[in-house]
Structures are given as C-alpha cells and as structure tokens.
Amino acid sequence: MSFDRSIKIAPSILSADFADFGREIQAIEAQGADWVHVDVMDGHFVPNLTFGPPLCKAIRPHIKTVMDVHLMISPVDQYIDAYAEAGADVITAHLEAGPHIHRTLQAIRGAGCKAGLALNPGTGIEQIDYLLDQLDLICVMTVNPGFGGQKFIHSQIDKVRKLRAMIGDRPIHIEIDGGITPETAPLMAAAGADVLVAGSAVFKGGSVTNPDVYGRNITAIRTAAEAARVKE
C-alpha cells in the first residue's frame, strides 16, 4: 500500500446489500473504487451495531484494493489483533474512544496495519500534534458517527485545512467520512483531503445486477474532487 495524495474513493459497505457483500465489493472495485471502507460500530461508542472480525475475514478474499477498517468502538485495544488477522490494511481508532491513544496507534502498527486516527466533529486538532509521527491516516468525521445518510457538517472544512498545514510533508492521508457527494467532495479536496468515504452517494440507484450506476456515482465524486484540486 504505497502513499500518494491522489483522490481515492472509498465506498462504505454500510450502504451495500448486506446479503451480497462479496458481489457488491467486486462490483464497486470493478467500477473504480480505490479502497473499501468497513464501518465497525459497537452500540456503545456509537448508537448502532454493525460488523465484527468474522465478517471482515469473510469479505477479505473479495477485496483486491485496500481494506479500510474504521473502528467506532470503545474500548479498542483488545480488538486490534482480531481485525488485523481478519485482513485489515488500515485500522482507524477514534481519539475519543480511549485514554491512551498513543498506545492504541502503536498496537495497530505493531499488528502490521496502517494506523488511522478519527476525529469527531466536536473534537479539535490540538491533541494530535504529538501523534503525527505515529499516524498513516487521519479520518475527519463530517457527520456524527453512528449512521449513514447524514448531512455534511460544513464546519469541518476549516479543520481539514488546518490539518493539512499541520501534516506538512508527512505521508499521512486525510480521509473524510460522512455526507460526501459530488457537491461536498470538492470542498474537502480543496481543503487538503485525499480519501473520500461515500456510502449512499455511491450505492444509490445501483445493484450488483446494475453496477454501471456505481461507476457513474464514483466518477462523479472523483471528477468533482479532482476539479477542485486543479482550481487551487
């Protein structure tokens, strides 16, 4: 998994057909998805329940790109090895999920994965200054975590802009999770983001029997984001 700042689209399988994950993943990758985003929720840190390590292990053989696992769970540390063994390439934990985030990031890298740190909309960036050299990715939540289909929170644009300046030339991805559409993607791309998570905006209107819609949706998001980069 090499590093570059090109725009990457990471469809969230939270919006896919749960009964057909294998073919859904194959369809979105064939239609241009760069990463596959897996939203893990525990019903405690966030008000929803989703996927455990067995599900990640089951879908791993279908993922040919990057398996991007976002842990919206607390506590985190005791589950890191299980998700790593299930095949995660990137594991992202929330700054707000535990008292010792530096240890958590060390554990993720120790398990052989890229280490991500997620920030809720109400969380500032001041606390990450001493974490930057432990990070491969920062995930900025542009909705409150827990459910798909929420509206984009515009105050996070300035947060991303400040994060990009803070990162400098470090090889750290800035990922955006929540409310990404062809309308909001360029706002984040212009601010410095390079990984765009999209759920309903990718999967709406399509299916494994009509996958071209996925491709058109992915292309629309990517084209809008890349155009914003050109205008900088």
Side-chain angles (χ1 to χ4, degrees):
M1 183 180 159
S2 59
F3 179 84
D4 67 76
R5 296 198 188 281
S6 65
I7 296 295
K8 289 162 281 293
I9 309 300
S12 167
I13 62 168
L14 192 63
S15 295
D17 179 354
F18 281 26
D20 207 0
F21 273 147
R23 290 202 301 163
E24 287 275 49
I25 288 164
Q26 292 166 11
I28 57 173
E29 289 191 335
Q31 293 294 327
D34 301 288
W35 294 12
V36 175
H37 190 80
V38 184
D39 287 305
V40 176
M41 306 181 191
D42 64 358
H44 165 69
F45 181 65
V46 293
N48 200 359
L49 279 169
T50 58
F51 316 123
L55 183 280
C56 291
K57 185 176 181 180
I59 65 175
R60 176 71 254 196
H62 300 280
I63 297 174
K64 308 305 180 189
T65 56
V66 172
M67 188 182 202
D68 177 29
V69 177
H70 179 189
L71 299 182
M72 287 171 269
I73 66 176
S74 178
V76 178
D77 292 8
Q78 58 260 49
Y79 298 103
I80 290 170
D81 285 345
Y83 282 99
E85 290 166 7
D89 295 301
V90 182
I91 294 178
T92 296
H94 272 256
L95 177 67
E96 308 87 359
H100 304 296
I101 190 62
H102 191 283
R103 178 185 296 159
T104 300
L105 297 171
Q106 284 182 316
I108 292 170
R109 283 186 164 183
C113 299
K114 298 292 186 183
L117 178 69
L119 304 174
N120 284 339
T123 300
I125 65 173
E126 299 79 14
Q127 292 171 271
I128 70 169
D129 199 20
Y130 295 102
L131 299 171
L132 288 172
D133 292 331
Q134 297 292 322
L135 291 173
D136 302 292
L137 177 146
I138 300 170
C139 176
V140 176
M141 297 299 300
T142 42
V143 299
N144 284 296
F147 296 98
Q150 297 182 70
K151 289 188 177 181
F152 180 87
I153 300 173
H154 281 77
S155 63
Q156 304 307 294
I157 299 170
D158 186 56
K159 182 188 288 186
V160 171
R161 194 175 293 114
K162 290 175 179 175
L163 270 176
R164 183 67 192 86
M166 180 183 285
I167 287 169
D169 61 359
R170 294 178 178 87
I172 300 174
H173 295 291
I174 297 179
E175 178 176 74
I176 307 302
D177 189 354
I180 287 296
T181 66
E183 290 69 44
T184 58
L187 303 176
M188 285 312 197
D194 62 284
V195 183
L196 304 175
V197 176
S200 54
V202 167
F203 286 96
K204 67 180 179 183
S207 67
V208 294
T209 57
N210 188 22
D212 289 353
V213 176
Y214 296 162
R216 289 196 291 272
N217 292 341
I218 289 169
T219 298
I221 296 168
R222 189 191 310 279
T223 301
E226 290 176 344
R229 286 268 187 93
V230 170
K231 292 176 183 177
E232 288 180 345

